[in-house]
């Protein structure tokens, strides 16, 4: 079975509703196997941008048995059983756009800061 993992962003989601999900899809069977709501950023209620802003999930990357999923201002790390291993946030990475998990760390794009930054395995910039 070939599986695809997709993160989404619901741009005009009301404040009381989830604004992003992660889907696991069976490509051959053409079925959605699992849907998981994203973790909302703590200050989303103050975001009045209807076209995205703080909403949704912002990227996914896999390396050496770890799965990293980005939200607006945090990155979440899971094992293959979907157990949350850890998460981190940093002022240099608000408005995360994409991520890349590599052997020695994590690359993160921050559109609010016009930066591409790399964190080590411990989450240090």
């Amino acid at each position: 079975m070939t599986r695809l993992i997709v993160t989404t962003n619901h741009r005009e989601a009301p404040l009381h509703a989830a604004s992003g999900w992660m889907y696991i899809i069976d490509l051959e069977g053409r079925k959605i196997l699992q849907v998981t709501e994203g973790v909302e950023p703590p200050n989303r209620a103050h975001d009045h941008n209807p076209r995205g802003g703080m909403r949704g999930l912002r990227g996914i990357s896999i390396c050496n048995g770890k799965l990293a999923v980005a939200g607006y201002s945090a990155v979440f790390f899971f094992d293959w059983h979907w157990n949350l291993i850890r998460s981190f946030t940093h002022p240099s990475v608000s408005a995360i756009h994409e991520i890349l998990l590599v052997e020695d760390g994590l690359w993160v794009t921050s559109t609010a800061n016009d930066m591409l930054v790399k964190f080590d395995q411990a989450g240090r910039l």
Side-chain angles (χ1 to χ4, degrees), residues 10 16 32 35 47 69 72-73 84 87 94 101 115 119:
H10 181 185
H16 64 278
I32 296 173
V35 180
D47 179 21
V69 177
Y72 175 80
S73 58
L84 181 64
S87 65
S94 63
L101 187 59
M115 296 177 69
F119 292 91

Side-chain angles (χ1 to χ4, degrees), residues 17-70:
S19 67
W21 297 267
M22 185 168 40
Y23 292 84
I24 302 176
I25 301 166
D26 170 4
L27 288 179
E28 284 92 14
R30 298 178 183 238
K31 291 191 279 189
I32 296 173
L33 302 175
Q34 182 174 337
V35 180
T36 304
E37 277 187 22
V39 176
E40 300 297 335
N43 296 313
R44 182 175 160 219
H46 303 289
D47 179 21
H48 300 290
N49 178 355
R51 285 217 12 91
M54 295 182 182
R55 292 162 185 76
L57 295 175
R58 306 302 180 100
I60 188 166
S61 190
I62 298 172
C63 183
N64 295 335
K66 290 182 189 163
L67 171 68
V69 177

Side-chain angles (χ1 to χ4, degrees), residues 60-69 76-80 85-86 101-103 121:
I60 188 166
S61 190
I62 298 172
C63 183
N64 295 335
K66 290 182 189 163
L67 171 68
V69 177
F76 306 93
F77 296 88
F78 300 89
D79 65 16
W80 287 116
I85 299 169
R86 66 186 174 101
L101 187 59
V102 293
E103 298 255 345
Q121 292 290 347

